[in-house]
């Protein structure tokens, strides 16, 4: 039906005086196809369509399995079907475009529509060989072979120049030790290490030690220092900084894991490595127009050699990440342990780090190396709550007291309220640190805080450190403007330089040889 409609449009446009080139451009068709269609009478074109129905196609022997895949998974892409044909049928006799066209015909014939998801990415500058690698995390929910569903987590690496990828999966959230181990596996897979690695501001890699200004965690810093690669931290979902790895995460989700059935983690990772070899690193990349594995063969000569295996077990601390739940408890070994009331906060990461002392005592911290938030004896029982009575009492929080103090210090109530709300949204876990910076600034520069707040709001600078620097700068300008300037003192304005005759200067220019 679609071909017949095109045929009718071509004849109508030709009758209206359009040229073959104009018709081809207008209908997005090739010039030769338009010319062939125009040379057929309606009866001849009908016979042509009938012949197409009975013409055998290269993918006809695989029609039933492809149709079964589409009916079971209507959101399958042509690229996935192409990969599945190679993986499950060992068939390599068709290009991806051929498979895509065949899939589209089956969708139309059997009325299997496909829901398309759109996502915009920005172009990113190309990197030199061996210059940069990018890292990101992803997760997805897949069907289990035994029934039900399973959430899986993965870490993805890509070399920015060659687009050569590496992926590793876990059936639980990643810990810092897992991230280090996966880095070592990726460098072994790449046969070297790039000079720079790009990351999200992820809790596994970066925490605040300066009122929200990001640094690496102590655990990852030890590894990064030992290996010597540079680190660049960027904002989450920032295609301008890490668009290449964003595309890889999407590729892994929608080409490898989508509609795949999970059995065991080991076999899942083996299948992923096979997919990387077969498709992920073999398929021609749409930007560089080359196969990543071929470009990597040249790029690996520029990678830094990784001589020995990093013994990360001896470098990382024994902190165990856990989630703080709404009822202000963390779960460990089928028990629940309390933290102080108010520790859990809406829209915050609510991460805690556990440390076991001599197998008897549980320490809970908000940072891997931070102060102890709670201490509990480890229980050998199961399914119980171990609670500290002091955690149930909550007086007015330090944060509330700081907010009241800061609000009273400013006459611009609307401005300080905006600033505190903006800081709360940007630094949910480090708000008190930010408020303390403002508190110290008020004490150090009381005469400049109102003007600093006005400038901060105008420039949309959401940081206590920026507020401090602005107040200091304004205070300094006031001090300089009020300091005495001898050039403006009336006493010195009456002074005049002594006047000499021109003969004096002529003698100086002659060099004074006669004297």
């Amino acid at each position: 039906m679609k071909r017949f409609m095109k045929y009718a449009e071509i004849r109508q446009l030709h009758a209206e005086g359009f040229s073959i080139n104009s018709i081809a451009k207008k209908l997005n068709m090739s010039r030769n196809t338009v010319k062939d269609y125009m040379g057929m009478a309606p009866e001849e074109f009908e016979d042509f369509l009938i012949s197409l129905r009975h013409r055998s196609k290269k993918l006809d022997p695989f029609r039933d399995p492809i149709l079964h895949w589409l009916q079971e998974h209507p959101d399958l892409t042509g690229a996935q079907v192409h990969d599945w044909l190679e993986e499950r049928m060992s068939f390599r006799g068709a290009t991806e475009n051929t498979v895509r066209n065949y899939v589209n015909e089956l969708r139309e014939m059997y009325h299997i529509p496909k829901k398309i998801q759109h996502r915009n990415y920005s172009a990113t500058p190309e990197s030199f060989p061996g210059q940069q690698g990018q890292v990101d995390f992803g997760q997805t929910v897949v069907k289990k072979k035994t029934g039900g569903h399973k959430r899986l987590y993965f870490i993805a690496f890509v070399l920015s120049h060659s687009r050569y990828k590496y992926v590793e999966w876990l059936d639980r959230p990643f810990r810092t030790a897992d991230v280090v181990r996966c880095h070592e596996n990726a460098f072994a897979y790449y046969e070297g290490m790039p000079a720079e690695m790009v990351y999200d501001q992820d809790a596994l890699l970066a925490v605040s030690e300066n009122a929200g200004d990001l640094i690496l965690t102590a655990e990852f810093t030890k590894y990064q220092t030992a290996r010597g690669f540079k680190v660049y931290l960027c904002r989450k979902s920032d295609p301008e900084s890490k668009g290449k790895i964003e595309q890889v995460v999407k590729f892994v989700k929608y080409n490898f894991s989508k509609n795949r059935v999970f059995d065991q983690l080991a076999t899942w990772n083996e299948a992923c490595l096979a997919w990387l070899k077969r498709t992920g690193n073999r398929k021609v990349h749409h930007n560089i127009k080359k196969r990543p594995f071929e470009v990597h063969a040249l790029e690996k000569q520029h990678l830094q050699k990784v001589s020995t295996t990093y013994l990360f077990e001896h470098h990382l601390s024994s902190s165990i990440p856990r989630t703080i739940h709404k009822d202000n408890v963390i779960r460990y070994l089928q028990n629940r342990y309390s933290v102080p009331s108010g520790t859990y906060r809406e829209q915050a990461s609510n991460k805690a780090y556990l440390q076991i002392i001599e197998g008897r005592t549980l320490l809970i911290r908000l940072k891997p190396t931070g102060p102890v938030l709670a201490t509990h004896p480890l229980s050998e029982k199961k399914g119980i709550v171990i609670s500290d009575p002091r955690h149930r009492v909550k007086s007015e929080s330090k944060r509330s007291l700081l907010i009241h103090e800061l609000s009273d210090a400013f006459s611009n109530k609307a401005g300080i309220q905006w600033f505190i709300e903006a800081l709360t949204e940007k630094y949910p876990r480090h708000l008190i640190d930010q408020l303390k910076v403002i508190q110290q600034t008020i004490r150090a520069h009381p005469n400049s805080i109102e003007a600093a707040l006005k400038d901060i709001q105008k420039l949309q600078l959401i940081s206590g450190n920026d507020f401090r620097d602005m107040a200091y700068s304004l205070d300094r300008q006031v001090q300089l403007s009020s300091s005495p300037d001898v050039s403006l003192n009336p006493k010195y304005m009456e002074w005049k330089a002594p006047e000499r005759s021109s003969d004096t200067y002529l003698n100086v220019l002659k060099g004074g040889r006669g004297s």
Side-chain angles (χ1 to χ4, degrees), residues 426-491:
K426 185 175 181 180
Y427 302 96
R429 291 184 58 190
H430 312 287
L431 179 60
I432 291 180
D433 295 328
Q434 290 284 325
L435 297 179
K436 285 182 177 179
V437 173
I438 300 173
Q439 182 188 49
Q440 295 167 1
T441 305
I442 293 172
R443 295 171 181 172
H445 310 287
N447 298 324
S448 302
I449 59 173
E450 296 287 349
L453 178 61
K454 184 177 179 180
D455 289 344
I456 282 289
Q457 188 171 10
K458 180 179 179 181
L459 298 174
Q460 293 291 302
L461 300 176
I462 316 300
S463 170
N465 295 325
D466 289 334
F467 175 82
R468 177 196 60 203
D469 295 342
M470 184 70 71
Y472 171 81
S473 177
L474 293 171
D475 218 3
R476 184 64 177 162
Q477 291 177 19
V478 172
Q479 292 176 9
L480 292 176
S481 63
S482 60
S483 61
D485 189 343
V486 296
S487 64
L488 301 179
N489 195 317
K491 179 175 72 174

Side-chain angles (χ1 to χ4, degrees), residues 254-385:
Y254 295 104
N255 193 286
F256 170 72
S257 66
K258 189 175 181 181
N259 300 315
R260 189 177 289 268
V261 178
F262 177 80
D263 184 14
Q264 295 178 346
L265 185 63
T267 54
W268 184 272
N269 273 308
E270 288 174 3
C272 187
L273 288 174
W275 173 82
L276 285 172
K277 184 177 181 180
R278 180 182 66 250
T279 298
N281 288 322
R282 186 176 181 84
K283 181 179 177 182
V284 175
H285 194 275
H286 63 281
N287 280 343
I288 63 175
K289 308 302 181 186
K290 299 175 183 177
R291 301 182 189 276
F293 83 95
E294 295 175 341
V295 186
H296 171 256
L298 301 175
E299 184 180 18
K300 67 181 180 182
Q301 302 173 20
H302 301 271
L303 297 174
Q304 301 176 24
K305 298 302 179 184
V306 180
S307 56
T308 58
T309 302
Y310 179 80
L311 300 178
F312 56 88
E313 292 90 348
H314 301 296
H315 288 78
L316 297 181
S317 70
S318 58
S319 61
I320 305 169
R322 283 293 185 271
T323 299
I324 302 171
H325 296 274
K326 289 184 178 181
D327 51 354
N328 290 289
V329 297
I330 59 95
R331 298 179 183 274
Y332 180 68
L333 295 180
Q334 302 184 43
N335 289 322
R336 291 176 290 167
Y337 295 85
S338 70
V339 295
S341 179
T343 303
Y344 174 87
R345 295 177 182 174
E346 292 287 343
Q347 299 180 344
S349 61
N350 292 306
K351 287 289 184 183
Y353 296 86
L354 315 185
Q355 185 178 4
I356 311 303
I357 305 297
E358 298 180 354
R360 295 189 301 245
T361 305
L362 174 68
L363 304 182
I364 304 175
R365 296 181 171 91
L366 290 179
K367 302 173 185 177
T369 58
V372 175
L373 178 68
T375 303
H376 295 283
L378 274 179
S379 176
E380 296 181 357
K381 299 179 180 180
K382 295 182 179 180
I384 64 173
V385 177

